[in-house]
Amino acid sequence: MADRRYCEDSRGYRNYSERRDTDPYDGRMYGDEHRGHKTHRHKKTTTYKSNTMSTLWTLDETSNRCLSYFLLFVWVIFMIIAWILLVAAVSLPSWVDGTGTFGSEANTVVQTGLFRQCTGDDCFGIPLGDANVGAWIGAAIFFALGIILLLVTIVLAVISACFDSLLVVSKLLMCITNVFVIIGVILVPIGFEQLDDDCPASNLNQCGLTCGADGSMGFFTVCGPWNVGTATYIMVA
């Protein structure tokens, strides 16, 4: 009987041991050793899939985080622009302006605002206690509150990049700010109706804008020769 260790098979292996070492998955091999090779290969495949899923999950989480930071940055930029426009609109005197009869003076350039008024080249501030348009007093208060709350919202939104819990608070304050600003925007045109009233003694604030023969001031209406000014357009923007 030929020694099995020195027999060559059809594949060219010199002996059984060489075939076993070179071709561990040969179909003629049976038993625990063969099953062990298959199990080892299955474990390697499972580990590879697990590592791949973990990598994909990490990349997806990183992408979502970067997207959140980007959207937060865009939101803060828009809020800063809105805050600048709001402050500029409130501080300007040109809510209603034009050239016409102001009190007893004809052909006078007048700009009337919430906190400032200009008559010709003379500009002066209007304290809330000296304002003659009640609706504009309310609008000024709501705008002032909106400016303060919007500034606080911007600060909280920036800090929320490190503390996620503050993002909810900043969104809530943003909603309240929007409500205050919208109320102020509605009150401004309601106050147009009082701009053509006679001015009380020694108080020429927000009054005395004489309309032409074809019209009068009314709610949401400005008569000629007066027009809504730059501050109104900035606020609408």
Side-chain angles (χ1 to χ4, degrees), residues 75-119:
W75 185 44
V76 170
I77 292 298
F78 276 111
M79 285 194 296
I80 292 175
I81 295 174
W83 187 84
I84 294 174
L85 292 176
L86 183 58
V87 172
V90 170
S91 60
L92 287 175
S94 56
W95 284 83
V96 174
D97 57 18
T99 303
T101 302
F102 175 63
S104 58
E105 299 180 5
N107 297 323
T108 304
V109 178
V110 180
Q111 293 179 325
T112 302
L114 301 179
F115 294 100
R116 288 178 58 81
Q117 181 169 312
C118 293
T119 304

Side-chain angles (χ1 to χ4, degrees), residues 100-106 108 110 195 197-199 204 207-210 226:
T101 302
F102 175 63
S104 58
E105 299 180 5
T108 304
V110 180
L195 293 178
D197 293 348
D198 294 333
C199 294
L204 302 178
C207 59
L209 301 181
T210 304
W226 313 104

Side-chain angles (χ1 to χ4, degrees), residues 135-202:
W136 281 20
I137 296 176
I141 294 174
F142 279 109
F143 284 145
L145 293 174
I147 290 173
I148 296 173
L149 288 179
L150 184 55
L151 182 60
V152 175
T153 302
I154 294 172
V155 174
L156 291 179
V158 173
I159 299 177
S160 68
C162 300
F163 303 96
D164 294 339
S165 59
L166 293 179
L167 185 60
V168 178
V169 180
S170 61
K171 290 181 178 180
L172 177 61
L173 287 179
M174 188 63 193
C175 294
I176 298 174
T177 301
N178 289 334
V179 172
F180 284 172
V181 173
I182 290 173
I183 293 175
V185 170
I186 294 174
L187 289 176
V188 169
I190 291 177
F192 289 165
E193 192 266 341
Q194 295 180 266
L195 293 178
D196 59 346
D197 293 348
D198 294 333
C199 294
S202 69

Side-chain angles (χ1 to χ4, degrees), residues 207-219:
C207 59
L209 301 181
T210 304
C211 295
D214 57 344
S216 62
M217 294 286 188
F219 298 120

